Amino acid sequence: GPKTAAFKDWDNGNVQTSNPLGGADITLKHFGVVWYPANAAGDIEPSTRKYPFIVFAHGRFQDPAAVGSNHKQATYLLQHLAKWGFVVASVSLDEVGRYGFPAAIKQRGELINKTVQYFQATAPYAANIDFTKILYLGHSRGGEATVAAVGLNPAWQDSIRAVGSIAPTNFE
C-alpha cells in the first residue's frame, strides 16, 4: 500500500465476560496490538477522511510458549491493511483460548465487541476512526468468534459492514 504502517500495543486492563462454564462472569486481561497508517513520527497519520476499523481475532493457540502473543499471528496481514488506510486492532483471545471445551466462542465475541468500545473511547484513535465502517476479521476459532460478536447485537451492529472468517471452525 501507499502508506507507512506503524503499530503500538494497547491495554484495556481487566474486563468482564460471561463464563464459558456458566455461573458468575469471569475477569480477563484485554489487550492487543493496533496497526495504523503512520506519519513520520510514528503516530497515527491525520486524514481528512477517517479510517475504517478492523478488529482481528486470532485462532486457538497451540504452543504454551506463545500464550500472550497469539494476537500477533497475522502481523503480515495487519501491517498490509494498515498500509492501505485501515486501523487494525488485533485482540488477544489467549485467556479464553485456554477453554478447549466449550470453545468459548461467545466470550471471544464479547472481547471483540469490547475492543470496539475501547477504541471508541481512546485517543487518538477515536478521533481518526470511522466507526460506521467496521470489519470483523478472524482466523479459525477467531473467525467463528466474529460471527458470534455480531450475534451479540452490539449497539453499533449496523456499522459492522463485513465479517471475514479465514478457515473458520464450527463449534457453535
Side-chain angles (χ1 to χ4, degrees):
K3 299 186 178 296
T4 300
F7 72 93
K8 292 183 180 174
D9 292 327
W10 60 270
D11 189 337
N12 190 25
N14 291 329
V15 297
Q16 299 274 286
T17 67
S18 60
N19 187 331
L21 302 175
D25 286 353
I26 57 174
T27 301
L28 302 170
K29 295 176 188 166
H30 186 225
F31 66 96
V33 63
V34 60
W35 282 87
Y36 52 86
N39 60 21
D43 297 320
I44 193 164
E45 181 179 31
S47 175
T48 55
R49 278 188 31 225
K50 293 182 176 188
Y51 301 110
F53 189 53
I54 300 172
V55 179
F56 180 79
H58 65 82
R60 181 175 182 226
F61 66 88
Q62 300 298 319
D63 181 4
V67 171
S69 63
N70 282 293
H71 60 283
K72 297 177 182 177
Q73 280 181 354
T75 293
Y76 65 94
L77 176 59
L78 310 182
Q79 181 182 26
H80 178 78
L81 291 166
K83 287 181 177 182
W84 284 102
F86 295 89
V87 174
V88 188
S90 182
V91 57
S92 176
L93 304 173
D94 285 347
E95 287 198 52
V96 291
R98 71 177 185 240
Y99 294 92
F101 188 80
I105 301 301
K106 177 184 176 190
Q107 291 71 24
R108 294 166 199 260
E110 290 173 18
L111 289 172
I112 291 168
N113 287 337
K114 287 178 185 297
T115 302
V116 174
Q117 291 171 322
Y118 172 76
F119 280 88
Q120 286 176 323
T122 303
Y125 308 105
N128 290 289
I129 293 174
D130 183 349
F131 289 102
T132 68
K133 296 178 180 171
I134 299 171
L135 163 65
Y136 284 171
L137 180 63
H139 172 252
S140 192
R141 287 186 179 176
E144 189 172 356
T146 61
V147 176
V150 174
L152 293 170
N153 199 21
W156 61 88
Q157 185 173 18
D158 292 340
S159 297
I160 301 169
R161 301 297 177 99
V163 175
S165 295
I166 305 165
T169 58
N170 188 16
F171 285 98
E172 297 175 15

